[in-house]
Amino acid sequence: MNRNQMIHSHFAGFSGINSGTLSRILKGNHPISMAQLIAITAGMELREDYFFEDYIDECFSFVVSMRRIRPFIFRCAELGRLDCIEQIVNRLLEDLSYAPLLFEFAELLYKDDKRHAARILYQGVSEAEKYQHSERLALCQYRIFRIELEEQTDLEEKLRAATQFELYVNRLDAADQLDAMKQLMHIYGLVHKWKRVDELAKEMHRIASVQYELENRRSDTIEGGLKRPERPFYYYILYAYLARATASEACGDYGRALSFVQLYANAERWVHENDEQSRQIIAQFSEWAVANTYLYRLMSGELDVIDEYADYIALHENEIFVAVRYIVQAANVFKLNVDSILDRFAPYIPYELGKTDCGDYKQAILQERYAQFLIDLAIYQFNHSKGKEQALNTVLKGLEISIAMNSSQNIIACMTLFEEYREFADQELQEQFKNLSSEVYQFNAKKDLILLNAL
């Protein structure tokens, strides 16, 4: 105002703030609201967040008021000023009575897809939470876990997040437990910890069965106080059977896998609901049951079902890639020639992203499956008359994807396979392998350095 030779009334009119209010603000007798801060900043023709760091002190210069702090936090989230949010949270949590309110803010930010901002609040509340067995602490950890899964492409980091969160899963409400267990099973499946997948699926079945029975005893679940998970309770019962079948198959126990298939194949016999959603879910699990029955019979050595299996999946495009992957595995085990099937379904490979009627496959799961498929396909190509160069190219593609997601098991498999057939690689292929191997070395060296600094 002095620089532009403005009196109060001029700037008040320019910014839209009442002249008397402006006078009291300048004398330090009136706290600045968030709306007034924005008006003042706009009046000075500065970017909106220009005074945000200064405003943090302003928020605490009078009596702490959530009428100022709440809109400030949410505006910081919209503008990406996470540094300001972190400072506000740290100062507020000097008084732990603010933790419940910050948790409420975090939930609103999370639902509004402001995940980075929400994470700061969840982390602050977690650290401030006195009662280590509280549901609020567990829910904070669950939200942080979900945010990390969305952010991380590194499988080891996903596993670390899962291992850290699992300590809190049994403190959640039953409905949240079911969704959390589903996420945990995804991660443990990605890193081939199938025993843990089976254990979690067994517990999921127990909890979902109890909740579904309670739901059916109430005429109105909301009035009865029964919290709902993301999907209907019967869905988790079916999903638990599916997960246990998958874990059994991964361990080579196809008889056990088939026994679980029978449990999710005919859900209409015991699912009470008959709405569009339930019909859709039951149809999806029935479809999986047919496809997986063919698969487990094939992997058990019933080789005559392979053509029936191929004809069936041809009618279900979303499942083609997964089925072809298993057909190639069977071909390697039983020394089959499946060139005709690979040619038939070539347009569906590579498979970047697929959807089913009951939701979308997670990108990480697809990437890991695709890397595994390329390894199996390379082995198949090495064993047939397609030429070693094509197989080596397939190995390198699998190695590139495995490095991108830091899948240690697949990285080792790809590098071992290339070394086994290195003599067939020309100079260009060897150079590609050298560059990819260097990425693996540099990545591991960086992780070792981070670990050393942490110690």
Side-chain angles (χ1 to χ4, degrees):
M1 287 167 62
N2 289 336
R3 187 167 61 246
N4 291 281
Q5 298 181 340
M6 284 186 179
I7 61 174
H8 288 186
S9 59
H10 287 166
F11 187 75
F14 196 54
S15 63
I17 297 177
N18 177 275
S19 182
T21 301
L22 180 61
S23 178
R24 291 194 296 275
I25 287 173
L26 291 173
K27 292 176 181 177
N29 297 327
H30 190 281
I32 305 174
S33 71
M34 188 63 193
Q36 290 164 348
L37 175 69
I38 292 172
I40 290 170
T41 309
M44 296 174 69
E45 298 182 347
L46 299 169
R47 69 176 191 274
E48 184 177 336
D49 65 339
Y50 187 87
F51 291 116
F52 274 21
E53 288 184 52
D54 299 299
Y55 192 64
I56 294 170
D57 289 329
E58 178 72 12
C59 286
F60 293 90
S61 61
F62 293 84
V63 175
V64 175
S65 170
M66 287 299 160
R67 292 180 64 183
R68 285 186 292 162
I69 290 176
R70 185 186 188 281
F72 181 54
I73 288 176
F74 281 80
R75 193 58 186 153
C76 284
E78 290 173 2
L79 297 178
R81 290 302 302 267
L82 304 183
D83 56 326
C84 295
I85 294 177
E86 190 166 3
Q87 290 182 58
I88 283 281
V89 169
N90 289 339
R91 291 183 68 164
L92 277 177
L93 287 176
E94 291 174 6
D95 182 347
L96 298 183
S97 66
Y98 288 112
L101 197 56
L102 285 176
F103 176 77
E104 290 179 19
F105 293 170
E107 289 285 84
L108 291 171
L109 289 167
Y110 185 86
K111 290 176 183 176
D112 197 32
D113 206 28
K114 302 293 189 300
R115 302 295 172 86
H116 295 292
R119 180 177 180 168
I120 295 172
L121 273 68
Y122 286 129
Q123 194 65 51
V125 174
S126 293
E127 292 171 0
E129 183 62 66
K130 291 181 180 179
Y131 306 103
Q132 295 302 307
H133 292 277
S134 74
E135 185 180 338
R136 184 166 60 233
L137 173 63
L139 199 50
C140 283
Q141 291 295 324
Y142 179 42
R143 297 285 191 249
I144 292 170
F145 170 60
R146 291 291 295 263
I147 292 168
E148 289 192 355
L149 292 192
E150 293 170 3
E151 292 177 350
Q152 288 291 343
T153 58
D154 188 310
L155 268 186
E156 288 190 11
E157 286 301 310
K158 287 179 183 288
L159 178 60
R160 178 201 57 75
T163 304
Q164 181 174 314
F165 164 66
E166 195 176 353
L167 299 172
Y168 300 91
V169 69
N170 62 356
R171 304 177 196 175
L172 292 169
D173 179 279
D176 289 321
Q177 278 193 57
L178 293 172
D179 292 318
M181 286 177 174
K182 187 169 182 280
Q183 296 297 323
L184 287 170
M185 283 191 285
H186 285 169
I187 302 306
Y188 288 129
L190 283 171
V191 295
H192 310 284
K193 292 184 178 293
W194 296 110
K195 182 180 179 182
R196 190 68 192 115
V197 171
D198 191 71
E199 291 169 348
L200 284 166
K202 185 177 180 180
E203 181 65 5
M204 173 186 278
H205 178 269
R206 184 190 68 79
I207 294 171
S209 297
V210 170
Q211 295 301 308
Y212 191 47
E213 184 178 350
L214 289 173
E215 181 181 61
N216 288 320
R217 289 179 184 176
R218 293 179 168 95
S219 58
D220 189 325
T221 58
I222 297 177
E223 289 182 5
L226 189 63
K227 183 178 179 181
R228 292 179 179 274
E230 292 178 6
R231 303 290 184 92
F233 287 114
Y234 61 81
Y235 169 87
Y236 297 92
I237 299 173
L238 294 169
Y239 194 87
Y241 291 144
L242 177 67
R244 298 195 75 183
T246 303
S248 301
E249 171 263 316
C251 296
D253 193 341
Y254 303 111
R256 185 172 185 262
L258 280 168
S259 69
F260 285 116
V261 169
Q262 298 307 311
L263 295 174
Y264 66 79
N266 302 300
E268 71 278 357
R269 295 178 180 176
W270 55 269
V271 172
H272 302 288
E273 290 77 1
N274 191 31
D275 55 9
E276 180 58 32
Q277 182 186 34
S278 64
R279 289 192 293 271
Q280 188 180 47
I281 290 173
I282 289 169
Q284 178 67 87
F285 276 94
S286 297
E287 180 182 310
W288 284 333
V290 175
N292 287 337
T293 297
Y294 279 124
L295 166 64
Y296 301 149
R297 286 176 62 193
L298 174 63
M299 296 303 291
S300 297
E302 295 184 45
L303 306 184
D304 57 333
V305 305
I306 193 167
D307 290 328
E308 282 184 64
Y309 187 21
D311 289 340
Y312 179 78
I313 63 168
L315 303 174
H316 303 85
E317 292 186 359
N318 292 330
E319 305 303 325
I320 288 175
F321 167 72
V322 175
V324 171
R325 172 189 157 212
Y326 285 118
I327 287 172
V328 172
Q329 283 185 0
N332 291 336
V333 172
F334 299 109
K335 311 301 181 188
L336 304 175
N337 187 314
V338 294
D339 286 353
S340 61
I341 293 176
L342 289 173
D343 291 339
R344 180 181 182 182
F345 297 121
Y348 300 92
I349 306 166
Y351 195 77
E352 299 298 338
L353 184 65
K355 290 192 175 184
T356 66
D357 292 336
C358 290
D360 58 329
Y361 289 111
K362 298 300 182 182
Q363 188 66 29
I365 296 173
L366 276 175
Q367 285 182 323
E368 205 274 340
R369 284 177 174 176
Y370 187 43
Q372 283 191 348
F373 167 74
L374 290 172
I375 294 167
D376 291 327
L377 181 61
I379 294 171
Y380 176 80
Q381 291 169 339
F382 280 128
N383 292 333
H384 290 76
S385 57
K386 288 243 177 185
K388 301 295 189 290
E389 185 176 332
Q390 181 184 7
L392 286 166
N393 271 303
T394 303
V395 172
L396 291 178
K397 191 170 184 179
L399 179 57
E400 185 177 1
I401 294 171
S402 301
I403 291 171
M405 64 189 310
N406 192 25
S407 173
S408 300
Q409 182 167 326
N410 289 335
I411 289 172
I412 293 169
C414 289
M415 296 183 77
T416 302
L417 201 53
F418 189 93
E419 290 292 355
E420 185 178 349
Y421 292 93
R422 178 187 280 272
E423 61 184 288
F424 299 102
D426 59 21
Q427 187 62 38
E428 183 180 351
L429 288 173
Q430 295 213 31
E431 189 64 29
Q432 288 181 41
F433 180 70
K434 180 181 177 182
N435 291 337
L436 290 170
S437 299
S438 178
E439 283 188 43
V440 175
Y441 173 79
Q442 291 174 13
F443 182 78
N444 287 325
K446 183 179 179 181
K447 285 204 304 182
D448 290 343
L449 181 61
I450 291 172
L451 180 61
L452 185 63
N453 290 336
L455 294 174

